[in-house]
Amino acid sequence: MLQIYNTLNRRKEPFKPLKAGHVGLYVCGITVYDECHVGHGRVMIVYDVLFRHLQSAGYLVNYVRNITDVDDKIIKRAAEQNVTPGQLSQRYIEKMHADERALNVLPPVHEPRATESIKSMVRIIGQLIESGHAYAADNGDVFYSVKSFAEYGKLSGRKVDELRAGERVAVDEYKRDPLDFVLWKSSKPGEPSWPSPWGDGRPGWHIECSAMSMDLLGEEFDIHGGGADLQFPHHENEIAQSEALTGGRFARYWMHNGLVRIGDEKMSKSLNNFMTIGDVLAHYSGEEIRTFIIGSHYRSPLNYTTEALLAARTALRRFYTALRGRPVDREALTQASTAVDTTALDAGYLERFEAAMDDDLNTPEALAVLHELANSLNKEADLESAVSRKLASTLVYLGGRLGVLDKDPEVMLQGEASEDGPSAAQIDTLIKERQAARAAKDFSRSDQIRDELAAQGVVLEDAGGKTTWRRD
């Protein structure tokens, strides 16, 4: 049974969905005012792995990941670039989708935009005012009253009195309490706005997720995910406003992935120490970036280093090298996970992989299973034996569960030539010349060809009377 570390209760818990066979999953998405960085990529990949794992377990998953397309940062950046906020957000939504495709991230079932859910937000805010949990200020803003919700702080473990005494909170003369947070912002000249009973304006950030999740998953759902930096105040505020509205529980399990760090600081746009996904894709493949991210447990901090990315590249090449030349029915293994005939796979490796993934998505341990599987595969000299076929199929299937190993090994290992590197045809010609030299016992020329290719980043591998090559 899947065990999930529930931030709300600070322990691993068996996962039991509200409705048998169904899972409602909501993940806080991106505020689209700039390109996505590696920290955003980690959110995409972590919950994509969860999505895949739940589907493979036979669940029908209603996966919702929102887009915040109205926000102070979006408005400010649009003004700087002399475009409308809608034009700016659309540009970065398209770039975000391109990044997701490069990282082999499956699209969620629903991807609501904040601007499409304004009516729901206005309705919820009105109900919170009626029930005494929110109030309209004289300036047209609407605030949530934190003291009206007795359980405020239960997710983060922070106490209201301590927050008032020691935390830096937004100061606003119109708030009744410094901890109160905005649900509706009155519009300023030139800003996008929508009508409401309290005047034209736009929603605060926190109310967006409550409205969109309830619209698509209901008042109570199974799993709410996001980055650790959202635990407080964003997720805390979501709970407060949602549970005050319904009188019941909001999300049953709260999952938070650790942050990506550069040195001793988290990667963020506000600190200007971030690497965009596009920046990294210029030097590493999406599959290499994905392997780097799943190489650490999702709850742990992830240190962004060149060494770690190169280690991910090495691991991938090792897997693909083990698969090279071995017949695998990829189409059968990459269909809907529940439709795969797992009886044709190695039961021992499959069981160990499932155990790792059921242990709070322990992807490092799952990757260790793949490494052992590659070791076993490399010992099978007969590429087409029954054992070889079973092991190779298992490696491809389990890799697919993690969103990797979906390429033809030859294509992946040989890659594309650099501008000054030899083409595949040139390499094949040199290999034939080398074979002729070896047949003529001209080992000096044979070694020279090997060295020339190695100097150009091409590695020759002799096995079973054949020579294969890969780009290094």
Side-chain angles (χ1 to χ4, degrees), residues 26 28 66 205-214 234 238:
Y26 185 88
C28 289
N66 78 296
W205 177 36
H206 310 301
I207 197 65
E208 294 177 7
C209 288
S210 290
M212 288 184 276
S213 63
M214 289 187 192
H234 183 52
E238 277 190 64

Side-chain angles (χ1 to χ4, degrees), residues 52-122:
R52 291 170 186 262
H53 186 58
L54 291 169
Q55 287 182 312
S56 72
Y59 290 109
L60 183 63
V61 186
N62 190 4
Y63 177 19
V64 180
R65 192 186 63 220
N66 78 296
I67 295 174
T68 296
D69 60 344
V70 59
D71 172 87
D72 290 340
K73 295 174 182 176
I74 294 172
I75 294 169
K76 182 176 183 291
R77 183 66 56 84
E80 292 170 352
Q81 299 186 11
N82 197 29
V83 296
T84 68
Q87 290 171 329
L88 183 89
S89 61
Q90 183 59 36
R91 179 200 307 162
Y92 289 120
I93 288 170
E94 291 171 3
K95 185 64 174 70
M96 176 186 74
H97 287 159
D99 289 339
E100 290 168 356
R101 290 190 293 271
L103 297 174
N104 198 21
V105 171
L106 300 174
V109 177
H110 298 285
E111 192 175 53
R113 302 185 185 190
T115 55
E116 299 170 346
S117 304
I118 302 293
K119 288 184 179 179
S120 294
M121 298 177 208
V122 169

Side-chain angles (χ1 to χ4, degrees), residues 57 62 120 180 271 416:
N62 190 4
S120 294
D180 293 348
L271 295 174
E416 296 182 1

Side-chain angles (χ1 to χ4, degrees), residues 296 355 429:
S296 294
T429 297

Side-chain angles (χ1 to χ4, degrees), residues 8 42 49 53 58 85 153 161 173 179 209 215 261 293 337 356 371 379 435 439:
L8 185 64
R42 191 180 199 193
V49 170
H53 186 58
D161 290 341
E173 62 179 305
L179 294 180
C209 288
D215 281 349
R261 304 180 69 86
I293 287 175
S337 296
H371 278 287
K379 295 174 183 177
Q435 289 171 336

Side-chain angles (χ1 to χ4, degrees), residues 5-43:
Y5 184 89
N6 189 350
T7 309
L8 185 64
N9 297 326
R10 295 163 183 77
R11 63 175 181 267
K12 288 183 188 178
E13 298 177 351
F15 176 66
K16 297 178 181 179
L18 281 165
K19 181 180 179 182
H22 294 255
V23 177
L25 168 63
Y26 185 88
V27 174
C28 289
I30 311 301
T31 300
V32 284
Y33 72 98
D34 202 346
E35 293 188 34
C36 296
H37 58 61
V38 178
H40 298 133
R42 191 180 199 193
V43 173

Side-chain angles (χ1 to χ4, degrees), residues 363-385:
T363 54
E365 183 61 30
L367 281 173
V369 173
L370 266 61
H371 278 287
E372 291 188 31
L373 182 48
N375 280 341
S376 297
L377 194 53
N378 284 329
K379 295 174 183 177
E380 293 297 318
D382 185 347
L383 302 181
E384 299 191 14
S385 70

